[in-house]
Amino acid sequence: MTMTQRDRCATPRALRALRERRGWSWADQARALKDAARVLAVPGVAGMSVASLVRTIARWESEGAAVIPGERYRLLLAYAYARVAMTERSLRARMSSGCCR
């Protein structure tokens, strides 16, 4: 599937929105990607510095550059965001059941 110019323009905004919805800074997201890379055995990313990943994330979110995350980064982003979503859902369920009051 090829991306249209419209998709390329929407991607930086969507990535920023996903990160900000979780209250993550670029450094927080970089650490989440490193953790995901360790779990999923993606050594190239697992060994990167947080500062290097922060620069990469900044490029993804730059509307002027239209840099799209590569396949391995898309996997790590999906894993990191899915983990957070599952944790939040789990916490909400426990709170509503009265176990954590």
Side-chain angles (χ1 to χ4, degrees), residues 69-83:
E71 189 174 329
R72 70 179 174 171
Y73 288 108
R74 290 192 300 263
L75 169 71
L76 298 174
L77 287 163
Y79 181 85
Y81 288 140
R83 258 183 78 200

Side-chain angles (χ1 to χ4, degrees), residues 91-101:
L91 287 174
R92 276 195 297 265
R94 280 190 263 158
M95 291 295 282
S96 66
S97 70
C99 79
C100 301
R101 292 183 187 172

Side-chain angles (χ1 to χ4, degrees), residues 15-100:
L15 290 171
R16 183 178 308 111
L18 283 167
R19 179 181 55 78
E20 289 176 346
R21 245 182 263 138
R22 284 153 181 80
W24 288 354
S25 67
W26 282 340
D28 295 330
Q29 184 173 8
R31 285 187 285 274
L33 291 175
K34 281 179 65 74
D35 290 345
R38 278 191 288 278
V39 170
L40 299 175
V42 181
V45 179
M48 290 175 72
S49 71
V50 170
S52 180
L53 282 167
V54 164
R55 287 189 299 275
T56 300
I57 294 163
R59 283 193 298 273
W60 296 339
E61 292 185 10
S62 170
E63 293 188 28
V67 176
I68 305 299
E71 189 174 329
R72 70 179 174 171
Y73 288 108
R74 290 192 300 263
L75 169 71
L76 298 174
L77 287 163
Y79 181 85
Y81 288 140
R83 258 183 78 200
V84 170
M86 289 173 54
T87 301
E88 289 171 353
R89 199 171 318 126
S90 175
L91 287 174
R92 276 195 297 265
R94 280 190 263 158
M95 291 295 282
S96 66
S97 70
C99 79
C100 301

Side-chain angles (χ1 to χ4, degrees), residues 3-16 60-68:
M3 293 188 82
T4 66
Q5 185 60 32
R6 185 176 177 181
D7 294 335
R8 286 192 176 280
C9 291
T11 298
R13 288 187 296 273
L15 290 171
R16 183 178 308 111
W60 296 339
E61 292 185 10
S62 170
E63 293 188 28
V67 176
I68 305 299

